[in-house]
Amino acid sequence: FESMNHFPLHPERFITFQATFSGLKESYKPDWTPNEFFGRSGKVYTYKNTVRDIGFKFMIWAPNRIALNLVKQRINWLARHTYPSYTNIKNSSTKIIFEAPIIKFTIGDLFKNLPAIITNIDFDWNALKRWELSKDIIMPQGVEVSLSLTILHDRLMQNYGYAADNGIDSSDMYN
């Protein structure tokens, strides 16, 4: 799992998780508005939009004591992406949102550099049920992460079913 921080302003910042997946789900939810008209027995539906969500779980563990802090740093990095970045208004102590926490993420060859927002994140610190109990550090040896994302397509998505010469195949939905 790779994630890139804040596109397009900082595409050089990214973090890689070496993890074991235990679940990976994708859903598409089209939204329709029902309309009723006098003299018509059935409803007429108007298309509004489609929301694409991706959810997955993965386990990150530290193979040794030295790697424990790296795991914690990466988890903190991920959690920080549920908050925006702020900046000061000129000549004021007031802060305003400067950047929304939008990420780009990649999972193997299935999803590549998809822009997304984190809609939910859960950390199960006791999933591995093993703790490092040395005099230097006391913390879990791993964490299970459940992550839900809503995809923000960076181009117009459409149904190509009737356009024979569009030059785009259905596999393009994942890139």
Side-chain angles (χ1 to χ4, degrees):
F1 167 68
E2 276 182 61
S3 175
M4 297 186 78
N5 178 16
H6 299 301
F7 81 101
L9 299 176
H10 306 291
E12 70 281 355
R13 291 190 286 179
F14 69 94
I15 192 164
T16 301
F17 291 94
Q18 294 177 337
T20 304
F21 281 86
S22 60
L24 178 58
K25 294 182 180 181
E26 178 178 22
S27 67
Y28 294 81
K29 297 178 216 143
D31 191 6
W32 297 85
T33 301
N35 299 295
E36 297 179 7
F37 296 100
F38 180 74
R40 185 173 173 101
S41 61
K43 294 181 180 182
V44 175
Y45 291 88
T46 305
Y47 176 79
K48 288 171 55 178
N49 59 42
T50 297
V51 174
R52 181 181 179 193
D53 293 322
I54 296 175
F56 49 96
K57 287 183 179 181
F58 57 98
M59 176 70 76
I60 305 170
W61 66 94
N64 54 50
R65 281 191 346 210
I66 297 166
L68 285 172
N69 280 326
L70 293 174
V71 168
K72 188 176 175 188
Q73 287 173 0
R74 289 180 174 155
I75 292 303
N76 286 337
W77 182 92
L78 190 58
R80 282 196 314 267
H81 283 77
T82 61
Y83 297 98
S85 297
Y86 290 91
T87 189
N88 286 328
I89 296 177
K90 203 175 220 180
N91 301 324
S92 172
S93 62
T94 305
K95 292 186 177 274
I96 60 170
I97 292 178
F98 171 68
E99 230 176 7
I102 298 172
I103 64 169
K104 282 191 174 182
F105 80 101
T106 296
I107 298 177
D109 288 327
L110 185 59
F111 305 111
K112 289 194 175 223
N113 291 321
L114 286 177
I117 56 172
I118 297 172
T119 55
N120 189 52
I121 186 167
D122 291 312
F123 302 114
D124 183 353
W125 288 100
N126 205 30
L128 203 56
K129 299 191 182 2
R130 293 178 53 188
W131 283 63
E132 178 65 39
L133 301 172
S134 67
K135 66 178 181 171
D136 302 353
I137 191 166
I138 298 174
M139 69 180 274
Q141 291 181 340
V143 60
E144 183 180 59
V145 180
S146 298
L147 191 60
S148 299
L149 305 169
T150 295
I151 303 305
L152 308 174
H153 294 288
D154 52 3
R155 60 184 173 77
L156 182 64
M157 299 305 293
Q158 60 183 330
N159 178 347
Y160 295 108
Y162 297 105
D165 59 348
N166 59 31
I168 299 174
D169 65 24
S170 62
S171 65
D172 197 46
M173 291 292 290
Y174 293 94
N175 298 319

